[in-house]
Amino acid sequence: MRYRTLDAKLIIETAERLEKRIAERFPDTGLRGVAIELVSLSRDLAKAAKALEAPIWWLRGVVIVTIAAGALMFLFVGTILPLGRISGTHDAIQSVQGIESLINMIILAMLGFLALIRTEERIKRKQVFRKLHGLRSLIHVIDMHQLTKDPAALSTDFKPTSHSPARITDRADLARYLDYCSEMLSITGKIAALFAQSVNDDVVVDGVNDIESLGSNLSRKIWQKITLIDGPLRSARPIT
């Protein structure tokens, strides 16, 4: 079972190791600040995902009491309370109308009980999407940091303007910077997957898949940039 589930501790350790690698190579860049935030967010979301695995016992107690109270009410109306005194008549038309009303009440009661039973699911779902919103924002922040890291700036024909952003002029450093961005996007997908692992809900799984797809699409753009960097130089640089 070890390799069939995600280990939140290992994900956090991976994020921490990545932050240290970025700090060693790019200590004074905003990317390091993003990596620090990724570590902090991964810890918070791992705790939140773990907490969602536990049932909401007080809510389940309320649901059970409500269902029991409803069942007792139906028992009282159907057996204890004399229906003949309520209707005042025993003709066939009144009996049919009474049966129809009873069926409608049973259907409405079952729908109400079903809504109560799914209350815990809706509460957890809302908590998950609140957490995923912050993760989605961080993904866009990561993308912003790689936005201006254009391999075209390495060309001898490139001429910056007065408003051009600061560029990384070393090929190996640029490739490593983009690698780090791609790795951070991958980690965000694994953090999101913790919620799909903790909450067995199709809507949550779809939300997690959206987060992973967003990170994968942005990572694909990053690797398109990396492929434009000179292959021999990239393969020859030290991997840290």
Side-chain angles (χ1 to χ4, degrees), residues 67-132:
I67 293 176
L72 290 175
M73 183 181 67
F74 274 104
L75 181 64
F76 174 75
V77 173
T79 60
I80 300 176
L81 192 62
L83 297 178
R85 295 180 183 178
I86 297 177
S87 62
T89 181
H90 297 281
D91 57 72
I93 297 177
Q94 291 288 345
S95 298
V96 171
Q97 291 177 346
I99 293 173
E100 183 181 1
S101 300
L102 180 61
I103 293 175
N104 290 335
M105 290 179 60
I106 292 175
I107 293 175
L108 291 175
M110 292 301 296
L111 292 176
F113 291 154
L114 182 61
L116 283 174
I117 292 173
R118 301 189 66 179
T119 300
E120 180 177 349
E121 180 181 295
R122 292 195 300 271
I123 290 176
K124 288 187 176 182
R125 184 186 300 166
K126 185 176 181 180
Q127 292 176 351
V128 168
F129 279 99
R130 188 182 298 116
K131 300 297 184 181
L132 291 181

Side-chain angles (χ1 to χ4, degrees), residues 12 32 42 93 112 130 138 154 210-211 233:
I12 295 173
R32 183 188 179 187
S42 63
I93 297 177
R130 188 182 298 116
L138 183 62
L154 300 175
D210 289 341
I211 293 292
L233 286 177

Side-chain angles (χ1 to χ4, degrees), residues 19-239:
E19 187 275 325
K20 293 178 181 177
R21 291 162 57 200
I22 294 175
E24 291 174 351
R25 192 175 290 272
F26 305 106
D28 300 323
T29 62
L31 189 65
R32 183 188 179 187
V34 178
I36 293 174
E37 184 62 26
L38 177 62
V39 172
S40 176
L41 188 62
S42 63
R43 292 170 180 166
D44 294 341
L45 297 190
K47 291 179 181 178
K50 184 64 177 179
L52 289 173
E53 294 179 0
I56 306 178
W57 292 113
W58 67 267
L59 180 60
R60 294 191 178 187
V62 171
V63 171
I64 292 174
V65 170
T66 303
I67 293 176
L72 290 175
M73 183 181 67
F74 274 104
L75 181 64
F76 174 75
V77 173
T79 60
I80 300 176
L81 192 62
L83 297 178
R85 295 180 183 178
I86 297 177
S87 62
T89 181
H90 297 281
D91 57 72
I93 297 177
Q94 291 288 345
S95 298
V96 171
Q97 291 177 346
I99 293 173
E100 183 181 1
S101 300
L102 180 61
I103 293 175
N104 290 335
M105 290 179 60
I106 292 175
I107 293 175
L108 291 175
M110 292 301 296
L111 292 176
F113 291 154
L114 182 61
L116 283 174
I117 292 173
R118 301 189 66 179
T119 300
E120 180 177 349
E121 180 181 295
R122 292 195 300 271
I123 290 176
K124 288 187 176 182
R125 184 186 300 166
K126 185 176 181 180
Q127 292 176 351
V128 168
F129 279 99
R130 188 182 298 116
K131 300 297 184 181
L132 291 181
H133 179 72
L135 191 60
R136 183 186 296 273
S137 298
L138 183 62
I139 290 175
H140 286 292
V141 171
I142 295 172
D143 183 54
M144 286 296 297
H145 277 77
Q146 68 84 29
L147 198 60
T148 59
K149 304 305 181 288
D150 190 354
L154 300 175
S155 173
T156 55
D157 298 331
F158 178 77
K159 296 180 180 180
T161 66
S162 59
H163 293 90
S164 294
R167 306 280 185 174
I168 298 177
T169 57
D170 183 80
R171 293 178 181 271
D173 284 345
L174 179 58
R176 180 52 57 199
Y177 189 100
L178 294 172
D179 275 343
Y180 289 155
C181 291
S182 180
E183 288 185 43
M184 283 196 288
L185 291 173
S186 179
I187 291 174
T188 59
K190 302 305 176 287
I191 296 172
L194 290 175
F195 289 101
Q197 182 174 273
S198 299
V199 181
N200 186 18
D201 180 76
D202 292 338
V203 178
V204 170
V205 172
D206 290 340
V208 169
N209 288 338
D210 289 341
I211 293 292
E212 292 181 314
S213 296
L214 175 62
S216 297
N217 291 336
L218 296 178
S219 182
R220 191 176 298 113
K221 292 195 307 180
I222 292 174
W223 277 98
Q224 288 175 352
K225 290 184 177 182
I226 293 177
T227 57
L228 296 177
I229 300 174
D230 195 8
L233 286 177
R234 180 171 178 268
S235 60
R237 74 182 187 279
I239 303 300

